[in-house]
Amino acid sequence: MDDDLRDLLRLMVVARRLDEECVALQRQGVLPAYAPALGQEAAQVGSAAALDLERDFAFPTYRELGAAVAMGVDPVAYLATHLNIWHGGLYDPSATHLAPFNAVVGGPVTHAVGWAMGAQLDGTGGAAITYFGDGASSQGDVHEAMNFAGVYRLPVVFFCQSNGWAISVPTDQQVAGGSVAARAAGYGIEGQQVDGNDVTAVREATRDALQRARAGGGPTVIEAITYRMGPHSTSDDPRRYRSTEDERAWAERDPIARTASSLPAEALSSAEEHAEAVVRETGERLRALPPPPGDELFSFVYREPTAPLLDQQRAWKESQHA
């Protein structure tokens, strides 16, 4: 059990230190923007650790660095998306079973349901997990996806990281009924809340939901109650809409400190040492990535380029030689 918890702690610490490095890189102008996940490491690592990477598939938002780490995705290949190096990052979604992350609020939810229907039809036995926040749960696409999945009993887990805020709007002001998990009953599917700062509780709840989905038991909504300890994005200032008292109260429930408290002291220091090496290498490799070719501005826009697009491309090429 200790070895298992050590592995989860190591993944969580790597996720946090990489997250902090990404914020620093954004401040230095290396990354144009970034959405921090500070405080949500247990929810992300615990849920992703429950996946069977031979047959399940994950559909992330723009804030799932911890899930990518837990799934073994190269962090440089994942974070390359922020640099626009290539469409959907440099990693292979078909090999990693992690879809390109989606910046559309609620966007990955419909994609996961579509994939789950495909898995049901081809009989591969896999299940999908889709990530979204409590703010995204109010999107119409999310309700349509849950309804569709409920009707067809699709193998999908709707994993909501209820982090307290829909950007600057508190959950209790934008989720009717006070619970995302309670909405599952309206679609005839399973729904439950879990302590999103307890990594083992998250993993077990997700594992049970995935097993039920693979066995034909239909979808599950899991609402992981956690807290976004940082800003919504690097352009956000949470001090404008929440109190320091609230932040301090949640800091005492820090998921990494909570996990480390169940292990010998050297477990955390070992995890920190490992994370330091990962962060150093990731930063160096990210900085070394070449910028994308400029002519890609005009690629993949239309199957057959339009005359205005070709005119723009010609003007751009001429400007390069001016």
Side-chain angles (χ1 to χ4, degrees):
M1 180 63 181
D2 273 6
D3 289 343
D4 194 36
L5 200 57
R6 282 173 183 266
D7 290 342
L8 292 172
L9 176 64
R10 175 178 287 224
L11 291 169
M12 291 166 64
V13 173
V14 167
R16 176 166 296 186
R17 300 303 170 228
L18 281 174
D19 189 71
E20 293 171 344
E21 177 69 5
C22 287
V23 173
L25 290 171
Q26 191 280 327
R27 300 306 189 210
Q28 296 164 26
V30 178
L31 299 180
Y34 183 70
L38 181 66
Q40 298 178 218
E41 296 87 1
Q44 295 187 10
V45 168
S47 57
L51 293 166
D52 179 344
L53 297 182
E54 294 296 320
R55 52 181 176 168
D56 298 334
F57 217 100
F59 292 81
T61 73
Y62 45 79
R63 203 188 301 276
E64 266 66 66
L65 175 59
V69 167
M71 294 176 70
V73 178
D74 176 10
V76 175
Y78 174 84
L79 292 169
T81 305
H82 289 287
L83 293 171
N84 297 318
I85 299 297
W86 185 241
H87 312 275
L90 295 174
Y91 64 94
D92 181 358
S94 62
T96 60
H97 287 218
L98 179 70
F101 69 71
N102 196 319
V104 177
V105 177
V109 179
T110 51
H111 296 174
V113 168
W115 185 94
M117 171 157 269
Q120 185 184 74
L121 292 172
D122 66 22
T124 56
I129 185 170
T130 179
Y131 292 93
F132 59 102
D134 45 305
S137 73
S138 297
Q139 291 289 107
D141 285 358
V142 174
H143 293 278
E144 292 173 16
M146 289 182 181
N147 185 67
F148 191 89
V151 169
Y152 291 98
R153 310 301 296 166
L154 298 181
V156 58
V157 176
F158 297 98
F159 191 88
C160 175
Q161 292 176 84
S162 191
N163 66 17
W165 296 92
I167 306 183
S168 60
V169 180
T171 304
D172 61 5
Q173 291 184 23
Q174 63 90 29
V175 175
S179 168
V180 176
R183 293 175 173 171
Y187 306 112
I189 61 180
E190 296 286 332
Q192 68 176 107
Q193 285 188 335
V194 64
D195 183 345
N197 284 11
D198 183 335
V199 67
T200 55
V202 171
R203 185 183 58 180
E204 292 310 307
T206 310
R207 181 177 289 166
D208 290 346
L210 289 166
Q211 289 175 346
R212 183 165 54 249
R214 297 189 205 107
T220 301
V221 177
I222 296 177
E223 182 180 15
I225 307 299
T226 182
Y227 190 76
R228 169 169 54 79
M229 292 167 66
H232 172 76
S233 71
T234 46
S235 61
D236 174 42
D237 181 3
R239 292 173 299 179
R240 297 180 62 185
Y241 54 82
R242 69 186 189 196
S243 68
T244 55
E245 291 79 8
D246 193 33
E247 292 177 350
R248 287 172 184 159
W250 276 95
E252 294 177 0
R253 301 168 63 180
D254 186 307
I256 289 179
R258 181 172 177 175
T259 305
S261 67
S262 300
L263 292 166
E266 56 82 20
L268 181 56
S269 59
S270 175
E272 292 284 8
E273 184 178 348
H274 169 69
E276 182 180 356
V278 173
V279 169
R280 182 170 56 251
E281 180 189 354
T282 299
E284 291 172 355
R285 290 174 56 206
L286 267 178
R287 292 174 183 276
L289 288 174
D295 58 5
E296 281 189 2
L297 285 168
F298 310 96
S299 305
F300 316 111
V301 180
Y302 299 106
R303 181 176 178 180
E304 298 294 336
T306 63
L309 185 66
L310 291 173
D311 288 342
Q312 293 171 30
Q313 187 176 33
R314 279 191 292 269
W316 176 82
K317 286 182 177 178
E318 290 171 2
S319 72
Q320 301 306 299
H321 301 291

